[in-house]
Each structure stands twice: as C-alpha cells, then as structure tokens.
Amino acid sequence: MDLSEEYSPLPTCSASFGQKVDLEKHISTVHDGIKAHKCTTCSATFGDKSNLKIHVSTVHDKIKPHKCPTCSATFHQKTGLKYHMASVHEGKKPHKCSKCEASFAFQSDLKRHMESVHEGKKSHKCPNCAARFTEKSNLRQHMESVHEGKKPHKCPICESSFSQKSHLRQHVESVHEGKKS
C-alpha cells in the first residue's frame, strides 16, 4: 500500500487518513454513528475503545492526573489543563465574539457561546420535564439535582449540602465568612 495516498470519507467531511483501516473506522463511528463499546457502569456508548477507557477513568474512577502547577486544580486530560492554564492563569482569550464583547480561550467555546447565547440553541432536553440546556453537562447536573435529589457538595463547617459547587462556595462566603454577594 502506498502510504502517501490519502483516504477521505465524504466530500463534505474534511478528515483524511493515511490508512484505509482508519478511514473505515472513522466512517463507522462518525458518519454511521456506530458505537460498539458500551460502559458497564452507565449507559454511555463509544465508537472507540480508547474513548471508553477515558470515560471510565475520568467519570467513574474520578482519576485526574494532570495537576496545575499554579493552583490546586486537577484535570482528567491534558487538554483540560492546557485550557485552564491559557484562560485562567495566562488570560489568553483570542477568540472574540462578533456580536458582543465576550472572548474565549478556545474556538470551541466561542462556537458554544454563539449557539447558546446568540442563536438560542438548547438541544439537550430533559426527559422528565420541559427543561432544555445548551450543554449536556448542564442537563446531567439538572437530572442529578432536580430529579434525583443529589447534593454531593457538603459544607465542611455545617450540615448543609448543595447540588452545585458554586452554591456551596456562595453558602460558605455568605453564611460562614460574612461576605455579601
């Protein structure tokens, strides 16, 4: 096989591959939506076994091996640490919104901002109520807190618990530290 030959799946897809086996894998998982690898803990499915392994280690085993050298933040993947360093510690936000003053560290965040804020897209619908969300993670958080009653963020000072870390932080600041928001 000529390794210099490139394989491309569809005229509308910009992906190209050096080997035919990679092209076939791409077509089955991305274009045909085949996700043969199922998580045994939850209902998540993946087209690639390596993505399933990442899912299990990050979601179920809660492994966060990538530590920020500046603060105590930890991340599942290197890309998360890279994002954190660029946006939080370096203040780099080169991707500017053309419709408002917002700017972002990564193009993907700008795209998400455009869809949710300026286009009003909320494609993640709650199966139990009429709530809709722009982010899948927000839907999951909604499901856990509203429909399952989960409040995993416990106050280290009193007995209070909260569904979101930000609510716990607000509680500690206002109740225990006397700060007004």
Side-chain angles (χ1 to χ4, degrees):
M1 179 196 300
D2 179 12
L3 293 177
S4 65
E5 185 176 357
E6 280 195 358
Y7 296 91
S8 184
L10 298 169
T12 57
C13 179
S14 62
S16 62
F17 304 90
Q19 296 183 8
K20 191 174 182 179
V21 68
D22 294 328
L23 166 66
E24 290 166 350
K25 185 176 172 184
H26 171 81
I27 289 172
S28 72
T29 58
V30 176
H31 299 286
D32 295 340
I34 297 170
K35 297 180 177 182
H37 305 280
K38 189 175 189 308
C39 177
T40 56
T41 308
C42 69
S43 60
T45 57
F46 302 89
D48 193 293
K49 194 172 186 174
S50 63
N51 289 340
L52 171 60
K53 284 183 178 180
I54 290 168
H55 164 79
V56 170
S57 71
T58 60
V59 175
H60 302 299
D61 297 340
K62 306 234 186 278
I63 295 170
K64 295 181 176 183
H66 306 284
K67 294 174 178 40
C68 175
T70 309
C71 70
S72 61
T74 58
F75 301 90
H76 305 300
Q77 297 178 326
K78 259 187 203 173
T79 54
L81 175 57
K82 178 184 167 192
Y83 170 84
H84 169 79
M85 292 298 294
S87 62
V88 175
H89 297 300
E90 298 167 12
K92 293 181 182 174
K93 296 183 178 181
H95 304 282
K96 311 233 182 284
C97 178
S98 60
K99 298 188 179 203
C100 72
E101 297 296 313
S103 61
F104 303 89
F106 292 94
Q107 179 67 34
S108 58
D109 291 338
L110 172 59
K111 183 178 182 231
R112 190 179 308 122
H113 164 80
M114 293 297 289
E115 289 175 351
S116 63
V117 175
H118 300 297
E119 297 169 16
K121 286 186 182 176
K122 292 185 177 183
S123 56
H124 302 284
K125 186 189 178 316
C126 177
N128 299 326
C129 68
R132 297 183 75 88
F133 302 89
T134 56
E135 306 269 341
K136 191 175 183 179
S137 61
N138 292 343
L139 169 59
R140 187 177 64 246
Q141 186 178 44
H142 164 80
M143 295 283 293
E144 289 174 355
S145 63
V146 175
H147 300 296
E148 297 169 18
K150 290 185 180 177
K151 294 183 175 183
H153 305 285
K154 303 199 183 326
C155 178
I157 301 163
C158 69
E159 298 293 314
S160 298
S161 62
F162 302 88
S163 61
Q164 295 178 35
K165 196 184 278 187
S166 62
H167 294 167
L168 168 59
R169 191 170 34 252
Q170 287 173 340
H171 162 79
V172 171
E173 289 175 358
S174 64
V175 174
H176 302 298
E177 295 175 357
K179 293 180 183 173
K180 294 178 183 170
S181 49

